[in-house]
Amino acid sequence: MRAPLSGLMWLAAGALAALLVIEGIFRLLPVPMGLYRTEQFDRWPLQGYQPGQSFTSSETWQMLNVRRGKTNNYGHRAPFDYRVGSHPVIVVGDSYVASPKNVYEESIQGRLGEHLGSRESVYGLAFTGLSASDYLALSRLAKAEFAPSAAVFVVIDGDLSESLPARLGYYHFVPQGDSFRLEYLPLRGETLGKAVRKTIGEISLYRYIYDNLGFSSEALFKFGRSGEQPQPARVVGDAVLQRRMVDYFLAELPRALGVPPRCIAFLVDSDRYAIYDPRSPSEPKETPEVRRYFLDQAQESGFAVSDLDPVFRARYARDRTKFDFWPMDRHWNRTGHSVAADEAYRLLFGAGKRECLPGLH
């Protein structure tokens, strides 16, 4: 009995030693590390990640497209600190605006700052997974903190529908009679991952498996189901309720920001995969009718609005340049961000417009 037990112990010790060696090697490689969400839940998402945090990101099993940097004093991926009461232009969105796959100068906020002649006049306020409800809450925080002169909102498929169901760590709209109220389910307490990180630090091998290889317990569970086909994205929620929410969001946003509608620009993304190949459209999270309703109501309410679909189509017909990391990732690449920045500048500052310029309020 002792001999088999001893063999198992040696086997376990050898496996542990091998894992420690592999972990040591991966700590020398550009595995995605850093970027932990702020613990000041009452200031999120104005403060996104923890401030002053060094980070590394990379993609695919080959660890390509390596990015290194440090979050600023508000926990965003900007190479400069944000200043209270500075009257900037703010660019608000989810991971499309956070833009981890592009260097800052290639992001919409970086490009717009270049157009305005000062990169520090444009603040990117973005976090993965945000939706319209988070944008309204963030606007209220930004008004008190920065008193912005103008704002650009990047609206993607799902931003409207995903603002209605309750999600842990995010804001959501709750119907209240003929109106809505904002509720927030904050992330509080000590998670297992946070406890492990505080004790021994981040595990590089785990981050490589999770981020670069894309494995998770959910993915493995689904992979093990024989014969199951992947399900398309589901249209979330009730279209009537979504239209009511759009009306509320558009009515509240100027008050929340302290900015008139003419100095608030909406850039509404499109199904770029359908532009590249009409036979391969993406499964939408929102109906075309809800998307159209948002565009029409925003326009009628005096906001500066750009439907990016015809803009992208015209550019693609001209030079066949893609706007994202097709076919691996739908987020905008440098070209997509450049087109969006050009549209934002045209809407807010084109033809000699000066009333929305940063620092004038």
Side-chain angles (χ1 to χ4, degrees), residues 23-24 26-27 31-37 53-54 56 192-208 210-211:
E23 173 65 17
F26 272 87
R27 290 201 175 199
V31 175
M33 300 282 277
L35 292 182
Y36 310 123
R37 182 170 169 156
Q53 192 175 60
S54 297
T56 301
L192 177 60
K194 188 186 295 184
V196 170
R197 190 168 67 242
K198 286 183 176 180
T199 304
I200 64 174
E202 191 68 88
I203 301 174
S204 299
L205 180 58
Y206 169 77
R207 292 298 298 265
Y208 176 76
Y210 184 83
D211 290 312

Side-chain angles (χ1 to χ4, degrees), residues 109-130:
Q109 53 267 39
R111 296 276 192 179
L112 187 55
E114 182 180 347
H115 285 325
L116 291 171
S118 170
R119 70 175 186 176
E120 296 187 13
S121 65
V122 181
Y123 295 177
L125 299 174
F127 197 88
T128 299
L130 298 189

Side-chain angles (χ1 to χ4, degrees), residues 314-329:
R315 177 69 177 269
Y316 188 71
R318 190 185 77 196
D319 56 24
R320 315 303 287 184
T321 299
K322 291 184 170 61
F323 311 102
D324 45 50
F325 297 92
W326 179 93
M328 307 239 353
D329 192 285

Side-chain angles (χ1 to χ4, degrees), residues 10-149:
W10 279 107
L11 182 63
L16 178 59
L19 284 174
L20 290 174
V21 170
I22 293 172
E23 173 65 17
I25 293 172
F26 272 87
R27 290 201 175 199
L28 301 175
L29 299 174
V31 175
M33 300 282 277
L35 292 182
Y36 310 123
R37 182 170 169 156
T38 181
E39 295 180 356
Q40 296 188 40
F41 61 86
D42 56 328
R43 286 174 59 77
W44 184 90
L46 182 72
Q47 183 181 114
Y49 297 102
Q50 294 176 19
Q53 192 175 60
S54 297
F55 64 86
T56 301
S57 65
S58 63
E59 302 173 52
T60 77
W61 68 271
Q62 299 166 292
M63 290 180 273
L64 303 175
N65 197 25
V66 177
R67 297 281 182 261
R68 290 185 173 88
K70 190 174 183 179
T71 57
N72 70 2
N73 59 331
Y74 279 81
H76 293 282
R77 295 186 184 98
F80 58 91
D81 284 343
Y82 298 164
R83 295 179 292 110
V84 174
S86 50
H87 308 296
V89 177
I90 61 171
V91 181
V92 178
D94 66 353
S95 53
Y96 276 68
V97 174
S99 186
K101 299 179 185 297
N102 299 285
V103 298
Y104 181 82
E105 289 72 19
E106 295 174 351
S107 68
I108 178 175
Q109 53 267 39
R111 296 276 192 179
L112 187 55
E114 182 180 347
H115 285 325
L116 291 171
S118 170
R119 70 175 186 176
E120 296 187 13
S121 65
V122 181
Y123 295 177
L125 299 174
F127 197 88
T128 299
L130 298 189
S131 66
S133 47
D134 300 295
Y135 299 160
L136 184 60
L138 176 54
S139 295
R140 292 172 177 170
L141 293 169
K143 174 186 177 182
E145 198 84 359
F146 303 128
S149 294

